[in-house]
């Protein structure tokens, strides 16, 4: 799933235009995750209470609550706009609710989760060891942690495709800064989780097709999506008009190579990371 760059994740930004844009794009975002979402959710197992970390527009919460009516599922996010959409989607599910909160400081109350899950929502903590230590402190004994994140940029062909049509950044990004690829290094992530007190840490590689365009003109659909949200959106927006038009033309040409009938799908590479409280 395309995600914002590190500069775009302050909580205050999610209360404005950024959160609004991601809310408008929830259907295309869920579509782009497809296979990865299935792998993440279908392997969650049984639980009594779940916490969906960085729940966004609620796809994972919806899936968990619908499949486990006996369980309680709470989604937390810092964007009120995304939570508004999530609440609307879960209106018929009495076992799902949402809270406007930073998961790094979320208070579980009396019902401690025995499943903590996140679809690409944990790579943005300013202090990841503190955040995961806090999440562990909120969890029930023997709770499981399960989240997805991207592997390295070079393993994600969609990221390389976008980079090929844009000028290189003036300063190379810090690979460990909060952002979409911050958890690409499994050894680093294992150190973070272990330092936060989690045990039985494991990594499962998932290679999947990121569906970014469908319909009568899937190339146009995909090009529009990439220019609205994700790592390329801000880069496109910052270009002068003529350069932006040229980059958009080049993007469409690149995406044409990933078109198969009425679909544009680009190779993506992720981890599903699991751990337990011990």
């Amino acid at each position: 799933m395309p995600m914002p760059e590190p500069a775009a994740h302050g909580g205050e930004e999610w209360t404005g235009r950024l959160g609004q844009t991601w809310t408008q794009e929830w259907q295309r975002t869920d579509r782009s995750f497809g296979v990865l979402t299935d792998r993440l959710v279908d392997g969650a197992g049984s639980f009594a209470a779940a916490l969906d970390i960085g729940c966004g527009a609620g796809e994972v919460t919806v899936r968990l609550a619908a499949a486990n009516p006996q369980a309680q599922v709470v989604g937390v996010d810092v964007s009120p706009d995304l939570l508004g959409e999530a609440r609307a989607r879960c209106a018929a599910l009495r076992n799902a609710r949402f809270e406007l909160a930073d998961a790094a400081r979320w208070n579980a109350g009396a019902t401690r989760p025995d499943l903590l899950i996140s679809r690409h929502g944990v790579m943005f903590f300013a202090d990841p060891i503190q955040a995961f230590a806090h999440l562990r402190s909120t969890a029930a004994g023997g709770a499981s942690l399960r989240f997805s994140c991207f592997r390295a940029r070079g393993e994600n062909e969609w990221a390389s495709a976008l980079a090929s049509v844009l000028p290189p950044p003036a300063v190379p990004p810090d690979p460990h800064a909060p952002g979409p690829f911050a958890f690409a290094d499994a050894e680093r992530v294992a150190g973070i989780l272990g330092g936060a007190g989690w045990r039985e840490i494991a990594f499962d590689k998932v290679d999947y097709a990121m569906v970014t365009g469908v319909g009568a003109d899937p190339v146009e659909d995909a090009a529009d999506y990439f220019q609205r949200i994700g790592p390329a959106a801000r880069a496109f927006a910052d270009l002068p008009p003529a350069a932006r038009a040229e980059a958009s033309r080049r993007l469409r040409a690149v995406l044409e190579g990933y078109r198969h009938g009425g679909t544009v799908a680009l190779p993506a590479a992720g981890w599903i990371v699991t751990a337990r409280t011990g």
Side-chain angles (χ1 to χ4, degrees), residues 33-41 119-120 148 206 208 272:
F33 266 125
V35 174
L36 181 65
T37 305
D38 292 342
R39 289 282 297 275
L40 181 67
V41 172
R119 188 185 73 178
H120 275 51
S148 65
V206 181
Y208 61 102
I272 288 182

Side-chain angles (χ1 to χ4, degrees), residues 197-217:
W198 292 89
R199 300 292 179 261
E200 299 180 37
I201 302 160
F203 296 81
D204 182 20
K205 284 186 175 181
V206 181
D207 296 308
Y208 61 102
M210 179 185 287
V211 177
T212 57
V214 298
D217 191 345

Side-chain angles (χ1 to χ4, degrees), residues 12 15 21 24 43 46 49 94 97-98 100 168 173 225 231 237 250 271:
E12 68 283 355
T15 65
T21 301
Q24 294 162 3
S46 62
R94 301 185 66 180
R97 62 184 175 87
F98 296 92
L100 181 65
Y225 178 55
R250 294 178 61 196
W271 295 114

Side-chain angles (χ1 to χ4, degrees), residues 37-87:
T37 305
D38 292 342
R39 289 282 297 275
L40 181 67
V41 172
D42 293 348
S46 62
F47 60 91
L51 171 67
D52 182 4
I53 303 163
C55 66
E59 172 75 355
V60 170
T61 304
V62 169
R63 293 275 297 271
L64 288 175
N68 300 274
Q70 79 292 343
Q72 295 297 310
V73 185
V74 57
V76 299
D77 203 281
V78 297
S79 168
D81 293 295
L82 283 165
L83 288 179
E85 189 62 52
R87 290 187 178 105

Side-chain angles (χ1 to χ4, degrees), residues 97-156:
R97 62 184 175 87
F98 296 92
E99 295 183 17
L100 181 65
D102 180 347
R105 293 185 288 275
W106 177 71
N107 181 7
T111 304
R112 293 177 175 268
D114 56 346
L115 170 66
L116 295 87
I117 193 167
S118 182
R119 188 185 73 178
H120 275 51
V122 298
M123 305 97 77
F124 311 104
F125 293 127
D127 184 342
I129 293 180
Q130 176 278 323
F132 280 105
H134 172 75
L135 288 167
R136 181 177 178 275
S137 75
T138 71
S144 61
L145 172 68
R146 184 175 182 84
F147 66 82
S148 65
C149 58
F150 284 124
R151 302 205 308 267
R153 287 178 186 268
E155 295 181 76
N156 279 275

